[in-house]
Amino acid sequence: MEMRNEKGEVLAILNVDSLQEESTIDIVIRELMPGMGKGIYLAADKKISQQTNYAPVKWLDGLDVLKAKASSWEPVFPANAELIEVQVYYGFDNLTPEEIDEMAIESASTGKDVVRDLKPNNTFVGVSLLYRKEEITFQFRIFGTTKSRIHVPDEDKHTIENLTIRSNDAVYVGDSEVQQLIWAEMGPTMGKALQYEILAERSHRDWLISIAESLS
């Protein structure tokens, strides 16, 4: 689904699925461990799909240094919450044109999809902050990459709801155990779209919304 701002501009694309299909992409996603990335050449479509699972790395330099590092993103953060831990995510190199050509040739000769590893790099792509507020511990994540997928193993047991957060499209996904709120918004001057996520256990929809509305 496309998540737009109040101007109708697409800021992020979110896929919510149960991964019950047996396509190559679904199989790769199920097997991706943190820190792994895969490039997939799809034989039927003759195109590339890149799937990644970022690994969290503990950040030891403090929140002020992190904010300086991410200043061009113009991120916002929760107010009046106790920060417990900070982790960051680093990205992967895209497949080169030469690698894609090689995969296309292999796919043409075998008639099958081709999967290759993506190489990790030191490009900063996101941050995960662990907070506590009102005796509830929650994760607050910010990503500079705005295409993502959520695995919902049993859609009948989950609530999936489209909302508006801070004048932007948002999605709430929750069951009796875990609640998650996802949206994207644009920086006020640099114009970079960021994806935000708030995730908690044994909380509720309105509490997550209150955290989102407190960001500054």
Side-chain angles (χ1 to χ4, degrees), residues 151-165:
H151 178 208
V152 178
D154 189 343
E155 295 183 4
D156 292 336
K157 294 182 180 180
H158 282 74
T159 298
I160 302 174
E161 183 179 355
N162 294 321
L163 305 170
T164 299
I165 296 294

Side-chain angles (χ1 to χ4, degrees), residues 110-153:
T110 63
K112 298 179 180 180
D113 298 336
V114 179
V115 180
R116 287 195 177 179
D117 291 334
L118 299 179
K119 298 175 183 177
N121 58 35
N122 294 319
T123 302
F124 175 74
V125 297
V127 57
S128 175
L129 304 104
L130 187 66
Y131 284 96
R132 182 182 295 111
K133 185 172 183 178
E134 298 171 1
E135 298 184 354
I136 296 176
T137 300
F138 66 96
Q139 285 185 313
F140 179 72
R141 299 173 182 162
I142 310 170
F143 289 100
T145 53
T146 53
K147 289 185 179 180
S148 59
R149 183 185 300 257
I150 296 179
H151 178 208
V152 178

Side-chain angles (χ1 to χ4, degrees), residues 133-134 136-138 198 200 203-212:
K133 185 172 183 178
E134 298 171 1
I136 296 176
T137 300
F138 66 96
I198 303 173
S203 178
H204 55 83
R205 168 187 173 277
D206 291 344
W207 191 86
L208 295 184
I209 292 173
S210 72
I211 296 297

Side-chain angles (χ1 to χ4, degrees), residues 12 14 55 59 62-65 78 111 147 154:
L14 174 68
W59 178 264
L63 186 57
D64 290 340
V65 175
K147 289 185 179 180
D154 189 343

